[in-house]
Amino acid sequence: MLHNVWYPFLRHKTVLSVLFVINLLGTIYGYIWYEPQLRDTPLIYWPFVPDSPTASLFFTVVLGLWIFGKRSPLLETLAFITLIKYGVWAVVMNVLFLRTLGSDADTFTVLMALMLMVSHGAMAVQALLYAPFMTWTIRSFVLTLVWVIHNDVVDYVLGQWPRYPALAEHIMWIGYGSFWLTGLCFLVGYVLVLRTSLDNKVMRM
């Protein structure tokens, strides 16, 4: 019964168009936020440094395709996995960051951290809400797995993780947790999307 009420609403072109604009603006803001770090980053790492805006970029493109009646299993897989991974990651990082602040922390810093928690939490919620409309393939699943694991290696082995100076001393454990989060995201994706695609016999290599 719940699906009958919400599914037509979520798939309505007006809703998709509003989400497209919101995600596009969020993506642009995200890349601007990463601009100082990108200035100091070798060009070869640029695709893998701005994790969250790239995740929202994937979903923005997916929304654009859906609006015009098109779809891409690879982009849908990339969008789902990265929205959840980097949405959850950013919420956790900002919770930890807030815990490092003293009682004299300025209001702007606290509000900025809260804003990032809400906006990144919304990324993960979007992925879960739109999971029933996604179709993956084995190829899209494997390619996304390669992309995300490679991104983890760039972040935590090659040292290009998003800058949180207050948490730098915990980077080993943050990286360890991030690899486990990757595995959890793919497990959730398998249960919610890939298994359904297999059951519906729409899988294509």
Side-chain angles (χ1 to χ4, degrees):
M1 177 65 72
L2 191 59
H3 328 129
N4 297 336
V5 174
W6 282 104
Y7 282 12
F9 172 78
L10 291 172
R11 297 178 67 174
H12 196 282
K13 283 193 174 181
T14 300
V15 175
L16 295 176
S17 298
V18 170
L19 287 176
F20 176 88
V21 172
I22 292 173
N23 279 273
L24 178 61
L25 293 176
T27 298
I28 293 170
Y29 172 79
Y31 282 120
I32 292 172
W33 191 87
Y34 272 95
E35 191 268 338
Q37 181 171 349
L38 290 173
R39 280 202 309 264
D40 301 330
T41 300
L43 192 61
I44 192 172
Y45 297 133
W46 277 27
F48 308 103
V49 170
D51 298 328
S52 297
T54 300
S56 60
L57 175 62
F58 289 143
F59 191 55
T60 301
V61 176
V62 167
L63 290 168
L65 290 173
W66 286 351
I67 290 169
F68 291 100
K70 309 291 184 181
R71 63 188 316 137
S72 165
L74 177 57
L75 286 172
E76 289 175 17
T77 313
L78 284 165
F80 179 92
I81 297 295
T82 58
L83 283 176
I84 293 183
K85 177 174 171 61
Y86 299 116
V88 171
W89 185 92
V91 170
V92 173
M93 289 303 101
N94 280 281
V95 168
L96 294 176
F97 172 69
L98 285 172
R99 292 182 61 186
T100 68
L101 298 178
S103 57
D104 59 343
D106 66 277
T107 303
F108 177 79
T109 300
V110 174
L111 289 177
M112 179 62 69
L114 292 174
M115 181 276 290
L116 290 172
M117 289 170 62
V118 171
S119 60
H120 285 80
M123 288 169 55
V125 170
Q126 283 185 123
L128 295 173
L129 285 175
Y130 280 92
F133 310 119
M134 295 182 176
T135 299
W136 296 1
T137 65
I138 294 174
R139 177 180 295 174
S140 74
F141 188 83
V142 171
L143 290 175
T144 300
L145 182 63
V146 171
W147 171 275
V148 176
I149 290 178
H150 178 68
N151 205 139
D152 282 342
V153 170
V154 170
D155 282 350
Y156 301 107
V157 178
L158 302 180
Q160 302 300 319
W161 72 301
R163 290 176 178 167
Y164 275 84
L167 303 176
E169 63 181 290
H170 306 295
I171 185 59
M172 181 178 70
W173 291 108
I174 291 171
Y176 176 76
S178 185
F179 278 99
W180 276 102
L181 179 58
T182 293
L184 180 60
C185 290
F186 278 93
L187 177 61
V188 172
Y190 169 76
V191 171
L192 295 183
V193 186
L194 184 60
R195 187 171 61 177
T196 302
S197 296
L198 283 166
D199 290 344
N200 290 337
K201 298 181 180 179
V202 294
M203 298 288 294
R204 292 190 299 272
M205 286 298 295

